[in-house]
Amino acid sequence: MKDSDFLINPIRISLVEDDEIIREGFSVLLNQTPKFNVVSTYGNCEDFLKNINNDKPQVVLMDIELPGMNGIEGIEKAKKINPKIQVIVVTVYENDDLVFKALCAGAGGYLTKNVPSQYLSDAIFEIINGGAPMSTNIARKVVASFQKNHHSPLSARETEVLELLAKGKSYSNIAEELFVEKETVRTHIKNIYWKLEVHSKAEALEKAKKEKYIS
Amino acid sequence: MKDSDFLINPIRISLVEDDEIIREGFSVLLNQTPKFNVVSTYGNCEDFLKNINNDKPQVVLMDIELPGMNGIEGIEKAKKINPKIQVIVVTVYENDDLVFKALCAGAGGYLTKNVPSQYLSDAIFEIINGGAPMSTNIARKVVASFQKNHHSPLSARETEVLELLAKGKSYSNIAEELFVEKETVRTHIKNIYWKLEVHSKAEALEKAKKEKYIS
DNA sequence: CCAATATCACCCACTTTGGGTGAGTAGCAA
DNA sequence: TTGCTACTCACCCAAAGTGGGTGATATTGG
């Protein structure tokens, strides 16, 4: 599909943003190009969800901090109504937790609000073309979330054991998989607990994941 | 830092790519701009790693499919030698497994090889500025990896229970957390096993993660 | 109304888990 | 050489966890 095709069938866009100034700004900005058709704008998720089947947006620009239902819930419900809807989060918040919650909820893009106006249009085209538009800092966060902490107190073997424990395997399972005795696995786990200063599987996994000793 | 600063201190770049044509092409292309300084090019990881402390590259463009050590291992070892090195994978492979293995190994960017030459330069600036340059399709894969399967056979409550089980919690832990009896948790788990056609925690978690019923 | 969901109970047997203590081997670095 | 760490294995114990079976009740949405 070429960009010019959108002149015949402009991309249907809804905006959910409680700040009226920003909302109208985005709306005017996007409507400047005939490739976009801002079909509706809302100040909260409730109204947006109520009209979603009428508006039939292809792309939604969604704020996170909203009166009433927050954007995360809004994304979840919107995706449940129509999984094909592409949601781009546009927010000032770049707190790690929010970013990952939004992506888990179904956001397909995430922009921090200081985006130059050109980026907005680019992002919309990108998500329509199967991409995942993200601000620089967000992309880095997302990629970093895959990477492990290089300053783990755990030895290679211990990390291996803990990784298998994280998959829900029992000591015996792990022993078989690593071709060692169950007693050896037990010793590794005792040492892991000692190093992480914990006294149970759940605590160890929580700490190890938080500190990114395991993925 | 402004782009113009790189005229005084050009960005030091190493290339690891076994196809000599591509390698030389990239090298010539990047050296066309005085902001870049391609300090070395290699056809395999072994040679690259041997000279890494001499070359002192800030950015490495790394192929995955290489004779001898593959790119994934290469990234791991390079990051172990100098964690500050920024690695951008440049490859034709966009197999899910490889993408995530590369990111876990420490890659900070991932481009599929049909990148227009302009993108290469942009990507290098982006990674130096704390971003994570990715091709459209790769970014989508990465974002999609956070999202759950909307066609889960599990009920909301069952998913909740399984999610806690994945954290290594015991039935009793889960019961407390959900304010129900342990017996109720046991029933949920029995139903989960039945639905997923498995007979143990490890099997259930494996299947549920593979099918993305839980994260 | 029926099916699915969520809740709880009691049976049983086996395994798992966490903690304690001790000990041998190997490799590496001061 | 002497430590240190890592990796391996063994045996003790008691409590808790796990998987499977069967049953029940209440609520809810299509």
Side-chain angles (χ1 to χ4, degrees):
Chain A
M1 185 159 351
K2 288 164 297 181
D3 278 13
S4 56
D5 294 344
F6 297 124
L7 292 172
I8 295 106
N9 289 312
I11 300 170
R12 300 176 65 82
I13 301 170
S14 284
L15 307 179
V16 186
E17 159 67 58
D18 64 330
D19 185 317
E20 199 181 332
I21 307 287
I22 297 178
R23 190 167 73 237
E24 286 309 307
F26 282 177
S27 177
V28 169
L29 182 80
L30 294 172
N31 272 328
Q32 267 173 7
T33 144
K35 294 172 195 164
F36 298 136
N37 178 13
V38 179
V39 291
S40 55
T41 72
Y42 301 100
N44 61 69
C45 283
E46 288 81 352
D47 291 343
F48 160 63
L49 291 169
K50 214 173 290 169
N51 295 292
I52 195 169
N53 280 324
N54 276 55
D55 297 341
K56 300 196 205 319
Q58 296 164 266
V59 177
V60 182
L61 301 189
M62 171 88 76
D63 195 3
I64 294 288
E65 64 281 18
L66 290 164
M69 186 190 307
N70 70 44
I72 309 283
E73 287 176 71
I75 295 171
E76 255 166 23
K77 305 210 174 183
K79 286 294 243 186
K80 210 165 272 178
I81 296 172
N82 177 5
K84 284 185 182 171
I85 286 184
Q86 298 293 343
V87 181
I88 301 175
V89 173
V90 184
T91 178
V92 287
Y93 289 81
E94 48 180 288
N95 167 276
D96 280 35
D97 242 35
L98 278 183
V99 173
F100 296 118
K101 275 186 188 159
L103 295 181
C104 289
Y110 200 113
L111 305 176
T112 43
K113 234 177 219 162
N114 49 14
V115 279
S117 59
Q118 178 58 44
Y119 278 36
L120 256 192
S121 311
D122 289 350
I124 292 168
F125 282 122
E126 200 172 332
I127 206 164
I128 285 287
N129 287 322
M134 287 174 278
S135 302
T136 304
N137 46 343
I138 301 297
R140 172 56 63 101
K141 272 186 214 295
V142 168
V143 166
S145 77
F146 288 95
Q147 288 156 10
K148 288 183 195 162
N149 188 335
H150 286 288
H151 304 298
S152 171
L154 306 180
S155 73
R157 197 57 152 175
E158 286 162 356
T159 304
E160 210 171 348
V161 168
L162 195 55
E163 210 104 45
L164 291 171
L165 206 57
K167 290 186 179 170
K169 313 229 172 181
S170 68
Y171 295 2
S172 318
N173 290 160
I174 297 172
E176 282 176 44
E177 205 146 324
L178 299 182
F179 303 106
V180 295
E181 292 306 307
K182 181 162 70 169
E183 281 304 317
T184 305
V185 173
R186 275 167 47 67
T187 304
H188 283 312
I189 290 178
K190 286 174 197 172
N191 290 333
I192 292 169
Y193 287 5
W194 182 81
K195 285 183 178 178
L196 299 186
E197 299 173 284
V198 298
H199 301 280
S200 73
K201 194 185 350 180
E203 284 178 296
L205 292 178
E206 190 190 345
K207 181 149 191 176
K209 279 182 182 171
K210 188 171 154 240
E211 305 288 340
K212 292 207 154 286
Y213 301 147
I214 61 169
S215 41
Chain B
M1 184 158 350
K2 288 166 297 183
D3 279 10
S4 55
D5 294 344
F6 298 123
L7 291 173
I8 294 104
N9 289 311
I11 300 170
R12 299 176 66 81
I13 301 170
S14 285
L15 307 180
V16 187
E17 159 66 56
D18 64 330
D19 186 317
E20 200 181 332
I21 308 286
I22 298 179
R23 191 166 73 237
E24 286 310 307
F26 282 178
S27 177
V28 168
L29 183 80
L30 294 172
N31 272 328
Q32 267 173 8
T33 145
K35 294 172 196 165
F36 298 136
N37 178 13
V38 178
V39 293
S40 55
T41 72
Y42 300 100
N44 62 69
C45 283
E46 288 83 352
D47 292 342
F48 161 64
L49 291 169
K50 214 172 291 169
N51 296 292
I52 196 169
N53 280 326
N54 277 55
D55 296 342
K56 300 196 204 322
Q58 297 165 265
V59 176
V60 182
L61 301 190
M62 171 89 76
D63 196 4
I64 294 288
E65 64 282 19
L66 290 164
M69 185 190 308
N70 69 45
I72 309 283
E73 287 176 70
I75 295 171
E76 256 167 21
K77 306 211 173 183
K79 286 294 241 186
K80 212 165 270 176
I81 296 172
N82 177 5
K84 284 185 182 171
I85 287 184
Q86 297 294 343
V87 181
I88 301 175
V89 173
V90 184
T91 177
V92 286
Y93 289 79
E94 49 180 287
N95 166 277
D96 281 36
D97 243 33
L98 278 184
V99 173
F100 295 119
K101 274 185 188 159
L103 295 181
C104 290
Y110 200 113
L111 305 176
T112 42
K113 235 177 220 162
N114 50 13
V115 279
S117 59
Q118 179 56 44
Y119 277 37
L120 256 192
S121 311
D122 289 350
I124 292 168
F125 283 122
E126 199 173 333
I127 207 165
I128 284 287
N129 287 323
M134 285 174 279
S135 302
T136 305
N137 46 342
I138 301 297
R140 172 55 64 100
K141 272 186 214 295
V142 168
V143 166
S145 77
F146 288 96
Q147 288 157 10
K148 289 184 195 159
N149 189 335
H150 286 287
H151 304 300
S152 171
L154 306 179
S155 73
R157 197 56 153 176
E158 286 161 356
T159 304
E160 211 171 346
V161 168
L162 195 55
E163 210 105 45
L164 291 171
L165 207 57
K167 289 187 179 170
K169 314 229 171 180
S170 67
Y171 294 3
S172 316
N173 289 159
I174 299 172
E176 281 176 44
E177 205 146 322
L178 300 181
F179 303 105
V180 295
E181 292 306 307
K182 181 161 72 168
E183 280 306 316
T184 304
V185 173
R186 276 169 44 67
T187 304
H188 283 312
I189 290 178
K190 287 174 197 173
N191 290 333
I192 291 168
Y193 287 3
W194 181 81
K195 284 183 179 179
L196 299 186
E197 299 173 285
V198 298
H199 301 281
S200 73
K201 196 190 339 185
E203 285 178 294
L205 292 179
E206 190 190 346
K207 181 148 190 175
K209 280 182 181 169
K210 187 169 154 241
E211 305 287 340
K212 292 207 152 289
Y213 300 148
I214 60 170
S215 41

